[in-house]
Amino acid sequence: MIKKIRGILDQMTEINSSRRHLLFLALALAFTLLFLPALIRLYSLSVSSEMYSHLVLIPLVSIYLVYLRRKEAFSVGHPGASWFLLVLAAAAVLFLAAGTITSDLSLLTASYVFFLWTGFLFFYGIISLRAVLFPLFFLVFLVPIPAQVLEWLIGILLWGSDHVSAFFFSLIGIPFMHEEYVFRLPRLSIYIAPECSGIRSSTALFLTALLADYLILSKWWSRTLLMAAVFPLAVFKNGLRIVTLSMLAIYVDPGFMSGNLHRKGGFVFFGITLLVMGLILMLLRKSEGCFGKKRT
């Protein structure tokens, strides 16, 4: 069987590039039609839930990143029958698993992504796949986070935000009593609810850092450091927001706890966090140049 598949894959290298592009687009369209009910559900989820509003942007970003490396992406190479069968098998397993769990959207979306990888591997080969590995991998973020994983992530963010807020209150010198996610302050008590975890902005922060890693940084250690900074930055943002709103409610107007800054002002603190990340990114980029210089 592997020999037959290898023979078919060998024939792909003899097809001219224009025809190969058309065939790949036709196959991608066929996969899209096959998964159309799941993709419609995915789109509905994206437009109805703030948590998943970024999903519609993921394919656009992936296509743009592939375009940036289009010369390397569409070179012709032998896919390798083993790699092709491995990815195809993974796609099929995910598809079948989704069917047994009442059409689980996460598994169906993951299966769709794996089938697209299989098509790319079939027409362009392993060399091209390696050239655009990150842009194709980025499609993984189309997959909605399963409920149990989402609950765990929210718990981690709440834990971090709770401790950062306590640190900020102590630093400012505000007296407080602290129980789990509850702060009793002068003339005010606050509870850090799951809705205040900042999971949506933290997801945006993570994806921004990931793209910056790929587009700006070049060393493995600087990329690792930037990604390691995402969680501290996320809980710093949440803690800063909690403490700022609390101080405004205590010393200016209690209405700040239910006003626009609380309900719609997340972008202000997200912008501050992006500035801090920008500074970290600039320092890491400069450090790459310093450590990359050869001694004379």
Side-chain angles (χ1 to χ4, degrees):
M1 180 180 177
I2 293 180
K3 288 183 178 180
K4 290 182 179 180
I5 293 174
R6 185 177 290 114
I8 296 172
L9 296 176
D10 286 336
Q11 294 177 11
M12 290 299 104
T13 61
E14 300 174 3
I15 300 175
N16 64 64
S17 59
S18 298
R19 188 182 177 190
R20 184 179 294 105
H21 297 338
L22 288 174
L23 288 172
F24 172 68
L25 289 175
L27 183 62
L29 179 60
F31 286 148
T32 301
L33 292 174
L34 175 65
F35 286 89
L36 190 58
L39 296 177
I40 291 174
R41 288 170 56 194
L42 193 67
Y43 176 77
S44 299
L45 179 65
S46 178
V47 297
S48 63
S49 171
E50 290 187 349
M51 173 61 209
Y52 295 106
S53 59
H54 65 281
L55 293 182
V56 294
L57 298 176
I58 298 298
L60 301 178
V61 173
S62 290
I63 290 170
Y64 174 71
L65 294 178
V66 170
Y67 175 78
L68 290 180
R69 302 207 61 183
R70 57 193 179 278
K71 291 182 179 179
E72 302 94 332
F74 301 117
S75 61
V76 181
H78 195 290
S82 299
W83 282 105
F84 175 76
L85 287 174
L86 179 64
V87 179
L88 181 61
V93 167
L94 288 170
F95 182 73
L96 293 174
T100 61
I101 311 178
T102 62
S103 298
D104 182 81
L105 185 58
S106 296
L107 289 176
L108 281 172
T109 308
S111 177
Y112 173 68
V113 170
F114 270 72
F115 273 119
L116 289 178
W117 290 352
T118 303
F120 189 92
L121 188 60
F122 182 76
F123 285 107
Y124 298 105
I126 192 67
I127 296 174
S128 294
L129 183 68
R130 287 172 179 167
V132 288
L133 190 59
F134 178 85
L136 294 180
F137 168 78
F138 198 74
L139 286 173
V140 167
F141 297 107
L142 265 178
V143 180
I145 302 173
Q148 291 182 339
V149 177
L150 185 62
E151 184 179 347
W152 178 78
L153 291 173
I154 289 173
I156 293 292
L157 287 171
L158 283 174
W159 176 85
S161 301
D162 182 64
H163 284 72
V164 169
S165 299
F167 171 76
F168 280 157
F169 283 130
S170 299
L171 190 65
I172 296 171
I174 300 296
F176 66 92
M177 293 182 63
H178 180 208
E179 299 174 9
E180 189 175 12
Y181 305 140
V182 176
F183 289 88
R184 292 183 172 84
L185 306 163
R187 302 188 299 277
L188 179 70
S189 293
I190 61 172
Y191 168 63
I192 306 176
E195 294 79 10
C196 302
S197 66
I199 182 66
R200 185 168 66 96
S201 58
S202 298
T203 301
L205 194 68
F206 171 78
L207 293 176
T208 301
L210 200 63
L211 289 171
D213 251 18
Y214 177 72
L215 294 171
I216 298 174
L217 300 177
S218 58
K219 307 294 185 182
W220 68 267
W221 56 266
S222 58
R223 290 177 168 176
T224 303
L225 287 174
L226 182 63
M227 295 310 300
V230 170
F231 176 73
L233 286 173
V235 295
F236 162 80
K237 168 186 59 63
N238 291 347
L240 180 64
R241 184 180 184 183
I242 291 165
V243 172
T244 300
L245 288 170
S246 299
M247 293 300 93
L248 289 171
I250 292 172
Y251 296 110
V252 180
D253 183 356
F256 274 104
M257 292 305 297
S258 58
N260 287 331
L261 187 61
H262 185 197
R263 291 183 288 105
K264 301 179 181 179
F267 72 92
V268 175
F269 301 95
F270 182 71
I272 294 172
T273 310
L274 282 182
L275 286 176
V276 176
M277 176 178 281
L279 291 174
I280 295 173
L281 185 61
M282 183 178 65
L283 291 173
L284 289 173
R285 189 76 181 94
K286 288 184 176 180
S287 298
E288 284 185 337
C290 293
F291 288 109
K293 292 180 179 178
K294 294 182 179 180
R295 294 182 179 180
T296 57

